[in-house]
Amino acid sequence: MDRRFKARLEAQFGDRLSGPVRQRHDQTEIRIRPGDVVPVMTELHDNPIFRFEFLADLAGVDTGEVMQAVYHLWSDTTPDWLRVIADGLSRDDPRVPSVTFLWPGAEWMEREAYDMFGMIFEGNRDLRRIYMPPEYTSFPLRKDFTLPDDAARSPGGGFRHMEQTHIPANTPNTVRRLPGSRQLPSVK
Amino acid sequence: MSTAQRPSADDPRILLDQEAGVFEPVPPYPPRTEREAEFYTLGDGQMFLNMGPQHPSTHGVLRVVLKIDGENVVDLDPVLGYLHRGVEKLAENADYHQVISQVDPLEYVSSLFNEWGAVLSFEKLLDVEVPRRAEYIRVLSAELNRIASHALFMGWMALDLGGLTPILWSFIERDEIVEMLASLTGQRMLFNYFRIGGVNGDLNHDFMSRLGNWMSRATEQIEASQGLLNENEIFVRRMRGLGPIDTKTALRMCFTGPNLRATGVPFDIRRAHPYSVYPELDFDIPTRVEGDCLARYLLRVDEVKQSLRIIDQCLHQMPDGPVMAKLPRLLRPRPGRAYSAVESPRGQYATYVVSDGTDQPFRMRIHDPSYIHLQSVGLLMQGNLIADTMAIMASLDPIMGGVDK
Amino acid sequence: MALTKDKAGATGALVVPGRDKVAEPLVVPNTFWSSALPGAYTETHEPDHTHLREFEESGQGRRDDARWSGPLEIIPTKADYVLDLIRMNSLWPLLSGLACCAIEMMSTATSRNDLDRWGHFPFRASPRQADVLIVAGTLTTKMAGPLIRLWEQMPEPKWCVALGDCTCSGGRYKRSYSTVEGIDRVMPVDVYIPGCPPRPEGLMYGMMKLQQLVKQRRGHWPERAIGPTVPQDV
């Protein structure tokens, strides 16, 4: 946990952050709006006090209410990983600018996020499906795409598959779910 | 799947309609992206060659569409997804403990690193401290797995250039190591050995005796394999100068691992962002500056030697104690996010886990190094011959299980 | 409590009445998931071949009974036996590993567990030259098309071996959105080798089982009609 790094980030990006800088273990997390991705990333990449020249990961996350594009960066100026969350993409039309102008290696990571979530990365020259066949129509990792045998039946939820024939009457309502459906959880 | 109604390739009475992606390299729809349009327009004298999902190279099911001008490859477009099994989605529907066995078959040759990446993230979410003996056993078994993976790489490198002997020698080495790990973990390949908070079982007599046996012979075996290939004129002349990449491009293409270190950047996650007990172990980071296939090959051989050093130190410094932290069976971490990266034989293997407070991960994102490296095959392939495609791909050491998740 | 006696008159062990009853199993009715195929677990289904079914039923295919013809008919039918022996001892697999089980297949083919002892070493790269398709690794919906094409391109007589849990039944990826749950949904399988991954000894056992099938003319392949793999006027 690098406190001085947190101070540097707040000094540089103070008004652009859409949430507090959070630190836990060896990770520092900042949240920005999707429109700010290009200036923030350019700043992090070019500014000599940051020098985040290494993009470790680019992921998409579907929280059930919104979508996020999560970038992980590494620099030798700080021992922490920097996590940049571009928060607040709408689930119906998630658009975020692409970072392929800084890191061409992000092209396939963005393609994967498009394939799995439907996120459009504006500026990516090659945004087509990568895992699923080109004529596939769904986006598998979205929370409304449910597998047939889906997760309402976790043992942590009180379901003991091998031990009982029905959900017992005293299973609390918070875990009792309708079989075959998954209520969209919400996560910050 | 439309194959049930599809007419047969063998029936002479039925005319075959060309199905996209299987017969014709060019897809039947108009290009949807800029890069697709650029790739699928043929220049003068060029043609497409489809290196289909089944081909004699042993990396797995990768389809590459080559745009060739005579024997020279002008451009190429890898098509993935032939092994996409939906691990990230399945991980969302499994317990934290079950996820460990789900991520095993991603980079199946180096399974312990897949497990390590997952387990590190979970331990960060749960604030679990791993006992020191467990950490040492993790490092020991993982470095053994690294040697097995690199041994296999050496064999495949030669196999893709056409040499059939080194792969047999590599498999002898790998079989020995893997039988050792089987006596420790119970499985030859998809080990399922690491647990959240430790490992599944302590070292046993069978494993230690096999390990001692093997270590006394390990150096000579490596020297023998090297003697077969390193000075081999055909090998060296084919690989030297093939597929060079410079540091700046490598960083921009998000290279990690041996592929990055072969370009001159001494970036190793075990030193740059240490995890487990690596700060207490003494090892070097081999780095080379040429950035071509030969450098990548020689670098991995150097890494095997460093791994042997690490194993030696682990055996000497192994502390006593429990091998697993005491954890409840039902794990419910606080809502939060955790990212962790380990140095797998291919590069940075990272996992990003989002927890929502239940006993199943909300989002388990797996970042695989082979996936990133495969992007740059087109960059490295400029103007090379078709036969060199396989050599370059082999030198990047991709495993399609990890690429396709 | 009476001690029971067996036929020879010796007393048996102490028997407590009621203890030899098998406990009633807890039957959990399947309310969670059901197969789209009616009667999936109660009826026997024919393996779902592709187009070859109509071809078989139309009677146009030859039966592969490999009889000598012409002046060779005077040779007694032990020649079939010899042909089966020849076939079984040189089954050339197709080099088609998909995932993790491919590594175990390669491990079986290399020095320590040598598959060359049975004559199976040359892993042919081209399906036209291969006898047996060892499907090693998870079959996904995207790969199913190319794999069926490979199967169709192999000339008869051919056999199929399902190596590993993923090919037998979908394995650990059974509930995924892109896995074919078992290759017997798309091609006829002769030998199933379970395991994740199966040990090389398991694959060797499976190949020996296949050799047994070939020698004894059991399994799918004697009944599969063969058709032209090359159109007639080519």
Side-chain angles (χ1 to χ4, degrees):
Chain A
M1 270 201 266
D2 197 355
R3 301 285 178 205
R4 285 180 300 173
F5 179 49
K6 176 173 175 177
R8 279 205 298 268
L9 283 170
E10 280 167 346
Q12 193 77 24
F13 298 112
D15 49 327
R16 272 207 259 250
L17 301 178
S18 62
V21 178
R22 290 206 185 111
Q23 293 192 312
R24 191 176 169 195
H25 289 290
D26 54 349
Q27 290 142 54
T28 305
E29 180 184 301
I30 63 175
R31 289 182 190 245
I32 58 178
R33 278 171 287 274
D36 284 333
V37 164
V38 171
V40 169
M41 288 294 178
T42 327
E43 184 73 31
L44 287 167
H45 185 261
D46 295 335
N47 196 332
I49 58 169
F50 291 128
R51 271 208 322 264
F52 278 96
E53 287 167 355
F54 181 56
L55 176 72
D57 190 20
L58 199 169
V61 176
D62 181 1
T63 60
E65 291 166 0
V66 294
M67 289 216 193
Q68 300 169 340
V70 181
Y71 305 81
H72 284 93
L73 301 162
W74 188 84
S75 158
D76 45 6
T77 55
T78 169
D80 283 0
W81 293 102
L82 176 64
R83 181 182 308 133
V84 181
I85 302 186
D87 207 349
L89 281 65
S90 79
R91 295 189 76 239
D92 306 309
D93 187 28
R95 287 177 176 272
V96 71
S98 160
V99 293
T100 45
F101 65 99
L102 278 174
W103 293 286
E107 193 183 296
W108 275 23
M109 296 198 254
E110 292 176 351
R111 263 180 88 173
E112 187 195 343
Y114 165 67
D115 191 10
M116 294 284 116
F117 291 98
M119 279 189 199
I120 308 276
F121 288 85
E122 288 155 344
N124 188 328
R125 291 187 60 220
D126 198 15
L127 203 65
R128 50 189 164 124
R129 286 202 178 261
I130 189 162
Y131 285 149
M132 307 313 294
E135 59 269 5
Y136 198 75
T137 48
S138 325
F139 297 111
L141 275 175
R142 293 175 67 108
K143 291 296 178 192
D144 42 6
F145 180 94
T146 49
L147 294 177
D149 198 26
D150 212 348
R153 293 155 217 108
S154 148
F159 287 77
R160 309 256 187 257
H161 305 266
M162 307 303 278
E163 293 171 17
Q164 60 194 23
T165 60
H166 64 280
I167 307 169
N170 55 358
T171 310
N173 253 332
T174 47
V175 295
R176 187 198 297 250
R177 299 180 203 204
L178 302 167
S181 79
R182 179 172 179 143
Q183 296 151 4
L184 296 181
S186 73
V187 140
K188 281 292 169 286
Chain B
M1 232 178 28
S2 61
T3 43
Q5 292 88 35
R6 196 179 43 78
S8 156
D10 292 331
D11 195 324
R13 298 168 301 162
I14 301 177
L15 287 172
L16 217 39
D17 54 321
Q18 302 292 309
E19 215 175 58
V22 186
F23 282 120
E24 280 284 325
V26 185
Y29 45 80
R32 293 174 182 165
T33 66
E34 229 183 280
R35 160 84 179 137
E36 222 181 337
E38 172 193 276
F39 182 75
Y40 285 108
T41 25
L42 283 174
D44 194 24
Q46 296 174 345
M47 69 176 262
F48 287 118
L49 186 66
N50 183 35
M51 216 163 188
Q54 186 261 343
H55 47 77
S57 150
T58 40
H59 302 300
V61 281
L62 167 68
R63 178 174 158 237
V64 178
V65 182
L66 303 165
K67 190 151 98 166
I68 55 179
D69 183 5
E71 184 83 12
N72 295 310
V73 174
V74 169
D75 204 353
L76 62 78
D77 184 32
V79 180
L80 312 178
Y82 290 95
L83 194 55
H84 178 66
R85 301 175 272 200
V87 171
E88 292 184 350
K89 188 78 183 179
L90 289 172
E92 288 176 15
N93 294 340
D95 252 353
Y96 278 99
H97 299 283
Q98 293 169 337
V99 173
I100 300 173
S101 63
Q102 289 277 359
V103 297
D104 252 337
L106 290 178
E107 290 200 328
Y108 35 83
V109 181
S110 54
S111 294
L112 285 177
F113 295 94
N114 308 348
E115 295 171 24
W116 209 350
V119 151
L120 265 186
S121 290
F122 299 155
E123 286 162 5
K124 282 184 190 171
L125 274 182
L126 291 157
D127 297 314
V128 170
E129 204 188 298
V130 181
R132 280 178 49 84
R133 188 178 170 87
E135 293 277 26
Y136 270 94
I137 296 179
R138 278 184 181 179
V139 171
L140 174 65
S141 44
E143 294 298 328
L144 274 175
N145 206 354
R146 191 190 302 271
I147 296 178
S149 168
H150 281 324
L152 215 49
F153 160 78
M154 294 196 275
W156 279 340
M157 188 79 239
L159 188 67
D160 284 342
L161 292 175
L164 294 176
T165 307
I167 184 94
L168 298 172
W169 290 30
S170 295
F171 264 102
I172 297 177
E173 248 190 83
R174 178 190 149 81
D175 265 331
E176 271 192 61
I177 299 177
V178 132
E179 289 289 337
M180 242 195 280
L181 286 169
S183 62
L184 179 67
T185 68
Q187 257 275 47
R188 274 170 60 104
M189 227 166 79
L190 310 173
F191 305 106
N192 197 13
Y193 182 53
F194 288 5
R195 297 284 181 268
I196 303 176
V199 290
N200 189 24
D202 207 342
L203 305 173
N204 52 41
H205 180 70
D206 193 14
F207 173 72
M208 297 306 287
S209 63
R210 281 194 210 231
L211 183 62
N213 234 342
W214 175 77
M215 284 209 69
S216 57
R217 287 179 283 123
T219 326
E220 292 116 50
Q221 271 184 326
I222 297 174
E223 298 290 325
S225 311
Q226 280 199 60
L228 192 61
L229 285 175
N230 281 18
E231 318 266 305
N232 189 333
E233 189 183 342
I234 300 178
F235 191 74
V236 169
R237 279 181 68 171
R238 269 199 78 175
M239 299 244 288
R240 182 172 287 153
L242 189 69
I245 189 166
D246 62 310
T247 308
K248 194 154 167 303
T249 320
L251 280 173
R252 277 159 53 89
M253 296 303 291
C254 306
F255 266 32
T256 46
N259 296 330
L260 182 61
R261 293 198 281 280
T263 63
V265 182
F267 178 69
D268 187 326
I269 297 185
R270 296 175 287 178
R271 284 279 185 248
H273 196 96
Y275 52 97
S276 187
V277 290
Y278 282 111
E280 300 171 21
L281 298 169
D282 178 32
F283 61 100
D284 303 321
I285 307 175
T287 312
R288 284 179 184 264
V289 293
E290 303 98 20
D292 58 2
C293 288
L294 191 61
R296 292 191 275 268
Y297 168 79
L298 291 173
L299 190 84
R300 287 186 171 100
V301 174
D302 292 336
E303 281 195 1
V304 170
K305 298 187 182 132
Q306 297 301 320
S307 289
L308 281 172
R309 263 176 84 178
I310 297 179
I311 294 176
D312 209 17
Q313 288 170 56
C314 281
L315 286 174
H316 285 134
Q317 297 175 16
M318 178 82 62
D320 285 322
V323 291
M324 193 158 150
K326 292 225 179 319
L327 282 179
R329 175 70 180 88
L330 196 64
L331 288 174
R332 286 210 178 103
R334 285 182 296 151
R337 295 151 294 278
Y339 177 84
S340 70
V342 300
E343 177 79 18
S344 87
R346 273 149 203 92
Q348 182 212 191
Y349 179 87
T351 43
Y352 172 55
V353 185
V354 179
S355 148
D356 62 339
T358 61
D359 60 329
Q360 297 174 332
F362 184 77
R363 164 85 168 110
M364 170 95 186
R365 150 77 180 170
I366 296 152
H367 169 91
D368 193 271
S370 312
Y371 182 67
I372 307 296
H373 297 156
L374 220 50
Q375 285 181 76
S376 0
V377 179
L379 205 67
L380 300 175
M381 264 309 290
Q382 300 295 333
N384 279 314
L385 305 176
I386 299 177
D388 292 331
T389 320
M390 278 295 115
I392 291 180
M393 238 187 291
S395 78
L396 293 175
D397 203 6
I399 291 283
M400 292 313 288
V403 176
D404 280 342
K405 285 203 269 289
Chain C
M1 281 168 284
L3 296 174
T4 57
K5 291 187 188 200
D6 64 7
K7 285 207 172 94
T11 48
L14 193 69
V15 171
V16 176
R19 280 275 183 88
D20 52 346
K21 284 198 184 322
V22 173
E24 285 299 321
L26 263 172
V27 177
V28 180
N30 183 16
T31 53
F32 300 139
W33 175 83
S34 59
S35 167
L37 199 62
Y41 298 102
T42 48
E43 300 167 8
T44 323
H45 287 266
E46 288 301 312
D48 194 19
H49 302 263
T50 54
H51 63 291
L52 278 177
R53 174 174 296 274
E54 300 91 58
F55 195 71
E56 273 175 53
E57 284 162 7
S58 66
Q60 287 179 313
R62 294 179 282 121
R63 296 200 52 83
D64 181 25
D65 41 17
R67 300 215 176 283
W68 306 97
S69 60
L72 294 175
E73 273 175 357
I74 54 168
I75 301 176
T77 49
K78 280 235 158 118
D80 290 343
Y81 176 65
V82 172
L83 274 177
D84 285 336
L85 273 182
I86 295 172
R87 281 190 185 123
M88 92 181 201
N89 284 316
S90 77
L91 286 169
W92 286 0
L94 176 66
L95 187 70
S96 91
L98 301 177
C100 349
C101 287
I103 309 286
E104 290 294 25
M105 184 169 72
M106 284 188 252
S107 186
T108 316
T110 51
S111 317
R112 208 174 166 100
N113 319 288
D114 187 10
L115 209 54
D116 198 9
R117 299 181 266 179
W118 290 275
H120 303 329
F121 181 70
F123 276 74
R124 308 308 295 169
S126 163
R128 302 286 185 193
Q129 299 163 0
D131 291 317
V132 60
L133 177 66
I134 305 182
V135 187
T138 319
L139 183 66
T140 55
T141 49
K142 200 167 175 184
M143 186 62 196
L147 190 73
I148 296 174
R149 192 159 306 261
L150 282 175
W151 174 250
E152 290 170 358
Q153 284 178 340
M154 285 168 65
E156 291 277 357
K158 58 187 175 187
W159 296 269
C160 179
V161 171
L163 180 69
D165 283 342
C166 293
T167 47
C168 293
S169 71
R172 59 169 85 204
Y173 298 109
K174 199 176 175 72
R175 299 286 173 243
S176 168
Y177 49 84
S178 67
T179 317
V180 174
E181 285 153 22
I183 59 169
D184 47 9
R185 290 193 180 211
V186 296
M187 58 174 63
V189 179
D190 293 295
V191 176
Y192 296 87
I193 305 175
C196 192
R199 281 191 65 98
E201 289 86 357
L203 175 55
M204 290 196 286
Y205 178 64
M207 295 304 282
M208 289 171 74
K209 205 84 184 141
L210 180 65
Q211 285 184 324
Q212 225 182 3
L213 284 185
V214 172
K215 187 164 152 205
Q216 297 165 2
R217 278 184 184 265
R218 286 193 290 132
H220 291 294
W221 75 275
E223 286 93 36
R224 277 207 297 264
I226 56 177
T229 50
V230 173
Q232 261 160 9
D233 39 2
V234 167

